[in-house]
């Protein structure tokens, strides 16, 4: 049987991510029902208000408690087509579960993420045909990038009867879901399985190995102008760009890696070899830094997280820092890197200095530097913006921070045919935020497409049958 080239290729075996155990394995039926019966089914549920996609959480939990798993999954997926991955990867501690009323009583909140994962995985394993697409409209939408925003938008558009074509420059699709989520939360093959399901919802085509550029000049390239001319609408789900650099001596060469590039190799490249890495320094205080530190610590590496400010000022979530610490990582706070120390070309340490001294707060006084032993330095201080592709589309503009400018009510850009969502718009948030923005854009695109065609105005999100 010949593989459908529009479907994602499986990931190769032998990847380091395969060594990680699932931090929150899927509930059994008995466990799910027991946990669901703890829910108070609040009328004015704070957990729903805390969810960017507004999933009716009490409703789906009640359905689990009464054995209606298919109904629970439909409730979740109607609001969030990537409900499976969000059930595994969402920071529920600061979103839905973080607002559970049980917290105020000093009791454990409802395990909303695990219940969500149970409902979606169980229902799709039994019968993936939870929704039926509407009749074809004859309208076509191009989606640039195969990350969560584009995938969700494509699914919603397909359910409305439109043809959705996703263009992805990499050979492995899925963006953050496949290549960026910590493997103890979700494996790459699980993200691809979810992507396969979205591709089955209607007329959705995935084209990998295709770069969108200003002017196509080589095989595997398509121009922005061709997409504007050949499609009724375009959605930009570009994600973020390359890892930022430290700009210090010794940074160039083996042993220094960008955090997101490293995570991608850990999840997808069986050639990655960490046999010689016993100690690592992770530079940064965000969630990406904490994920890398946690992953390396779980692999038995002695990890130091080097952050330029105090623990209280870290942008990373407190529960993620605690998880990294439990795995064995330690925090070196109020320190800035000044040099990657090498011996014979090999990384042996990261030289750091007090942050106040680096900023000049102590005037001409000598800087007390110290060495953090390391065989590997992972840099997690941010990513560049995907500006080149966005600016290839006439009328699309960026703000001062390099984010695509959109109307928040519709997510339409300055070009009436071009919409956008996800990290390239919000600067780098959660998968659930990307889905929420994709849903807004998909509804607006559908309304515009049907208005031009003289069709009916859109109703609520596709409900299936």
């Amino acid at each position: 049987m010949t593989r459908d080239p529009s479907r994602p290729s499986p990931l190769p075996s032998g990847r380091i991510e395969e060594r990680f155990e699932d931090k929150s394995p899927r509930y059994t039926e008995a466990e799910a029902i027991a946990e669901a019966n703890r829910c108070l089914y609040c009328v004015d549920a704070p957990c729903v208000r805390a969810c960017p996609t507004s999933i009716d959480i009490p409703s789906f939990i009640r359905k689990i408690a009464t054995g209606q798993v298919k109904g629970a999954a439909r409730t979740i997926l109607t609001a969030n087509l990537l409900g499976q991955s969000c059930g595994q990867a969402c920071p529920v501690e600061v979103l839905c579960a973080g607002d559970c009323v049980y917290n105020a009583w000093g009791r454990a909140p409802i395990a909303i993420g695990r219940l969500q994962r149970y409902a979606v995985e169980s229902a799709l394993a039994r019968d993936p045909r939870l929704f039926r697409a509407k009749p074809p409209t004859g309208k076509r939408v191009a989606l640039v990038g195969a990350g969560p925003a584009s995938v969700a938008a494509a699914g919603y558009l397909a359910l409305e009867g439109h043809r959705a074509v996703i263009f992805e420059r990499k050979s492995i699709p899925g963006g953050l879901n496949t290549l960026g989520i910590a493997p103890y939360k979700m494996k790459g093959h699980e993200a691809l399985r979810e992507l396969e399901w979205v591709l089955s919802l209607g007329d959705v085509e995935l084209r990998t190995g295709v770069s969108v550029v200003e002017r196509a000049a080589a095989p595997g390239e398509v121009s922005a102008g061709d997409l504007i001319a050949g499609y009724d609408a375009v959605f930009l789900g570009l994600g973020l760009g390359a890892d930022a650099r430290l700009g210090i001596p010794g940074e160039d060469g083996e042993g220094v890696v960008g955090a997101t590039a490293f995570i991608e190799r850990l999840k997808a490249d069986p050639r990655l070899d960490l046999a010689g890495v016993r100690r690592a320094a992770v530079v940064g205080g965000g969630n990406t830094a904490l994920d890398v530190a946690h992953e390396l610590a779980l692999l038995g590496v002695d990890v130091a997280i080097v952050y330029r400010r105090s623990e209280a000022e870290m942008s990373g979530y407190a529960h993620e820092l605690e998880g990294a610490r439990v795995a064995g990582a330690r925090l070196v706070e109020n320190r800035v890197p000044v040099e990657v120390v090498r011996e014979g070309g090999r990384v042996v340490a990261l030289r750091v200095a007090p942050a106040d001294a680096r900023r000049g707060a102590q005037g001409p006084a000598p800087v007390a530097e110290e060495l953090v032993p390391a065989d590997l330095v992972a840099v997690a201080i941010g990513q560049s913006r995907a500006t080149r592709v966005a600016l290839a589309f006439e009328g699309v503009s960026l703000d001062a921070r390099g984010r695509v400018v959109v109307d928040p009510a519709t997510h339409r850009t300055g070009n009436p045919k071009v919409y956008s969502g996800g990290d390239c718009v919000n600067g780098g948030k959660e998968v659930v935020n990307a889905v929420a923005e994709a849903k807004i854009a998909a509804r607006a695109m559908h309304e515009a497409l049907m208005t031009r065609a003289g069709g009916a105005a859109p109703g609520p999100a596709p409900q299936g049958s």
Side-chain angles (χ1 to χ4, degrees), residues 282-292 305 307 314-317 320 380-381:
V282 178
V283 182
N287 289 311
T288 300
L290 299 180
D291 275 347
V292 172
I305 305 167
Y307 180 52
M314 294 180 76
S315 61
Y317 299 135
E320 296 288 9
I381 58 173

Side-chain angles (χ1 to χ4, degrees), residues 155-191:
Y156 282 118
L157 289 165
L159 286 172
E160 292 288 4
H162 307 303
R163 174 168 170 74
V165 182
I166 306 173
F167 296 86
E168 169 58 49
R169 63 182 177 84
K170 294 181 179 179
S171 60
I172 300 175
L176 173 68
N177 272 13
T178 306
L179 302 172
I181 290 177
Y184 52 84
K185 298 177 183 176
M186 186 171 74
K187 304 290 193 298
H189 71 269
E190 294 173 311

